[in-house]
Amino acid sequence: MTLRLFDTATRELRDFTPREAGKVGMYICGLTTQGAPHIGHIRFAVAFDVLRRWLETGHGYDVTLVRNVTDIDDKVLRKAAEAGEPWFALTYRNERLTSQALDALGVVPATYEPRATGHVPDMVTLMETLVEKGHAYAAPDGSGDVYFDVRSWPDYGSLTGQSLDDMANADDADPRGKRDPRDFALWKGRKADEPESASWPTPFGPGRPGWHLECSAMARRWLGDEFDIHGGGIDLRFPHHENEQAQSRAAGLGFARYWLHNAWVTVKGQKMGKSLGNALEVRHLLEETRPLVLRYYLTAAHYRSMIEYHAGSLDEAAGAVERIEGFLERASRRGAIEPVAAADLPAAFVASMDDDLGVSGALAVVHDTVRAGNSALDEDDDEAALSAAAAVVAMTEVLGVNPLAAHWGSGSSREDAAAELALEALVRAQLDARQVARQERDFERADEIRDTLTAVGIEITDTPSGAQWSLARQARSDADQAADPTDTTHTTSAARGAEKAQG
Ligand SMILES: [Zn+2]
């Protein structure tokens, strides 16, 4: 089985062959940490998480995934100045929010997440090489800027298929010092109004990195002069990726062998932007949507297709997740579900995934298997049902949407279900003892029991039909908070008895 990926550099599907057998080096452009991430910002991480999982599970590759953090740039400095806070406080806070969002959505952590500010020496080395080879120059105006000389590199434009004459000017620095207005900044000399903490010494003068240079330097440091896959959002193709490739190749490095780009999340056909407010920030969406549902939503579209977000967008994903969960729950009552090995994944699923990560086809196989499994359950064919469940677990795990994955902590795994039953029995025994104490008018004892339960985060509500208990909100995990709050409300046996008596 051969994995084929759409290489945006050659604009065609190519058989994927890693440069070193069994290993894949992958660099993904991460976020500029200027704000809290919304779902449009983090789609790339989910898209490339599916690729990473498929490379590992479907093909057995040992993947080194490097995803950078652009923790300094013009916008970061401007926003920090507006907010009156240190730029590094702002950027680190947003980096943490991004990590939390990706973790909540079950994105497997990168092998390494380098920050631009930690790699200035690597950038200086690359700039010196480019200057020596005649592909870069320090601005003659003494500004401390260093530019890439686009006309010195005939291959410039090849990644995006553009000729130099058709390109827009690089508006990243004052063009006065540039030989050509399309020359882009490798390094930006320090300006008088910029904080001293945002400047590093170099042979060209103090300053800070240009965005493009960061990625070339960090990819080289952690993946070597040449690596397999470079990924990022489609909007990064030009100028960012064109410039990354030009400066790395001009410096004599092989750089990326395959380029993959994911599409956007759009609202009314437009790329999701900050102007939409904070409602679509991942942390706010997760207050009302289960993380697994949001993950499914972002995973279900092909990575090169736009996802058009609208109110009610997540309902369809929620329905699909519930169908998978409902089947696995039914099946788990008939026996243990052991996920199948990669070699035993359904052939149609494998074929879809190998065809440029065809998740739509792969999910169709998942849902067909769920339907077949439900029919088997209806016919009491436990063996067929459990074998379908095993395949569903393995397939959804590849896509990062396995409801039984410990990550979701959804209460749907067998261990969680057992723990819930044990807790129910223990609390019920305490509530029965409290009821006896009250009947004996030993109110001190009754209050003591109540206080003990309250102290460990169990809230008791006395109702006409008996005492009910629930886990206090602050004692519950984030994942539980996203679920229906009535899930953890339990009626005591005494109350159930009362209901029965009434019925
Ligand atoms: Zn980049």
Side-chain angles (χ1 to χ4, degrees), residues 27-30 68 70 211-212 215-216 230-231 236 240-241 244:
Y27 186 91
I28 313 291
C29 288
N68 71 293
T70 297
W211 176 31
H212 319 302
C215 288
S216 285
H230 193 316
L236 299 186
H240 186 50
H241 289 164
E244 279 187 28

Side-chain angles (χ1 to χ4, degrees), residues 246-265:
Q247 68 208 356
S248 290
R249 296 231 168 121
L253 313 176
F255 207 54
R257 299 172 64 247
Y258 295 81
W259 286 89
L260 267 66
H261 290 97
N262 65 278
W264 300 334
V265 178

